[in-house]
Amino acid sequence: MEVEKGAADSSATFTLHNEDHTIGNVLRYMLNKSPEVEFVGYSVPHPSEPKMNLRLQTVGPPATAVLERSLGTVFEVGEHVLETFDAAVAKHKSKR
């Protein structure tokens, strides 16, 4: 990941390599839910370029800290979905 800081710590552009709309849309959604976020948007410059740019502006806290917390939330949601899925599969197999 590359970070291009803005005029203040509260804004930055992050370039995530080997990522696309899948993580871009999820991060945009999670970041938009945060009251600390003033603006968030992402773009994929070209489909054949394996990178995604994320622009983040917060209302005070450092943009890097807000992104880090949101990435942690995305990870926790993924863990919960995986655990729920595994439990449902195990329950289905035990009914056979």
Side-chain angles (χ1 to χ4, degrees):
M1 177 185 336
E2 297 170 27
V3 179
E4 183 181 321
K5 299 222 178 202
D9 283 346
S10 61
S11 65
T13 300
F14 303 90
T15 301
L16 286 78
H17 297 281
N18 297 314
E19 297 297 347
D20 58 16
H21 294 284
T22 305
I23 193 69
N25 200 32
V26 169
L27 278 175
R28 184 191 54 78
Y29 175 80
M30 283 297 180
L31 286 162
N32 263 327
K33 292 178 62 99
S34 171
E36 299 173 318
V37 173
E38 186 172 32
F39 170 83
V40 62
Y42 80 93
S43 66
V44 174
H46 192 274
S48 66
E49 241 183 303
K51 69 180 185 179
M52 186 263 306
N53 298 315
L54 179 81
R55 176 76 180 147
L56 177 59
Q57 188 169 337
T58 68
V59 292
T64 52
V66 174
L67 177 61
E68 187 176 337
R69 282 194 295 277
S70 287
L71 285 167
T73 302
V74 168
F75 181 81
E76 290 170 6
V77 168
E79 288 281 304
H80 175 72
V81 169
L82 183 60
E83 289 170 8
T84 303
F85 177 78
D86 287 344
V89 168
K91 184 177 179 181
H92 177 72
K93 284 183 178 179
S94 69
K95 289 184 177 182
R96 289 182 180 185

